[in-house]
DNA sequence: CGAACGATTAGCT
DNA sequence: GCTAATCGTTCGA
């Protein structure tokens, strides 16, 4: 039996939650799979959207934990975060890569690709494959259309520097499942 | 109000 | 490896 995560599971610091999420299963309307790569962000973190305080875009990051924070990246991609820590803090975990398991055909159609390895290996790709849109911003992760299931097996988690940021480079808050073929980039 | 800049990706060299 | 695509958000004047 796999347990569904509830808001209490997201009370930890963003790096703790980001590590915990590796191996958990994320589904949106039944489509998704195993989370294999995450990154943590926090209010006291110059790389974070929340660093300069609440704005219209990042308000979900300052809302209750256990909900989604969705933002548009480079004017093109929808990226999905899980809000964590206490309400008002501004902490979150970016879902960077998933191992496709459920609704693979739907994901292939949304992505216009067949290659399993390229379906969800990057935050923008995850958004497209799982059908993430602005409407999901602020939605609870323990209610439809979301399902987040606790990891049922433990594998080694690697850490390293986050990708695509210019500040906070020294904070190694990227987490990935060791040996996964579905990472956005290999973990050194 | 204008302008710079992304928590990226795909496609080409 | 390099860069265009593409547009909402943020910040300075």
């Amino acid at each position: 039996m796999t347990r569904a995560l509830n808001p209490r599971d997201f009370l930890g610091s963003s790096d703790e939650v980001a590590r915990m999420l590796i191996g958990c299963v994320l589904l949106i309307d039944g489509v998704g799979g195993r989370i294999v790569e995450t990154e943590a962000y926090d209010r006291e973190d110059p790389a974070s959207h929340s660093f300069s305080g609440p704005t219209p875009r990042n308000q979900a990051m300052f809302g209750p934990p256990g909900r989604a924070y969705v933002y548009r990246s480079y004017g093109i991609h929808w990226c999905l975060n899980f809000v964590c820590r206490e309400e008002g803090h501004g902490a979150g975990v970016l879902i960077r890569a998933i191992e496709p398991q459920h609704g693979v055909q739907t994901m292939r159609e949304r992505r216009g690709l067949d290659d399993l390895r390229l379906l969800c290996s990057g935050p923008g790709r995850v958004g497209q494959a799982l059908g993430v849109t602005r409407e999901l911003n602020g939605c609870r992760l323990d209610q439809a259309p979301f399902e987040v299931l606790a990891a049922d097996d433990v594998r080694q988690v690697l850490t390293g520097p986050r990708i695509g940021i210019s500040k906070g480079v020294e904070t190694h808050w990227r987490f990935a499942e060791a040996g996964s073929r579905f990472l956005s980039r290999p973990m050194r």
Side-chain angles (χ1 to χ4, degrees), chain A residues 1 23 28 42 57 70 93 105 121 135 154 162 166 170-171 182:
Chain A
M1 279 295 290
I28 300 179
D42 188 86
R57 171 176 69 157
V70 175
V93 175
Q105 197 51 40
S121 55
E135 297 171 15
V154 181
R162 293 171 291 181
S166 54
E170 69 289 343
T171 303
F182 300 96

Side-chain angles (χ1 to χ4, degrees), chain A residues 26 28 31-33 37 71 73-74 76-80 94-100 103-104 106-113 115-133 163 174 181-186:
Chain A
L26 165 63
I28 300 179
V31 175
E37 180 181 343
Y71 72 93
S73 176
Y74 289 87
I76 304 169
H77 309 101
W78 293 108
C79 295
L80 174 65
L94 173 67
I95 307 302
R96 288 196 56 91
I98 284 175
E99 176 177 338
V104 171
T106 299
M107 291 193 276
R108 285 189 164 124
E109 289 164 9
R110 287 172 175 166
R111 295 272 299 122
L113 286 172
D115 190 348
L116 256 197
R117 191 162 173 164
L118 295 176
L119 280 189
C120 304
S121 55
R125 292 166 172 170
V126 169
Q128 187 179 25
L130 272 61
V132 172
T133 67
I163 293 176
R174 179 181 179 223
R181 312 162 37 223
F182 300 96
L183 305 184
S184 64
R185 298 180 55 177

Side-chain angles (χ1 to χ4, degrees), chain A residues 39-41 45-49 74 94 96 161-173:
Chain A
E39 281 179 1
Y41 291 90
D45 167 16
S48 174
H49 288 169
Y74 289 87
L94 173 67
R96 288 196 56 91
R162 293 171 291 181
I163 293 176
I165 57 170
S166 54
K167 300 171 184 172
V169 179
E170 69 289 343
T171 303
H172 289 189
W173 275 356

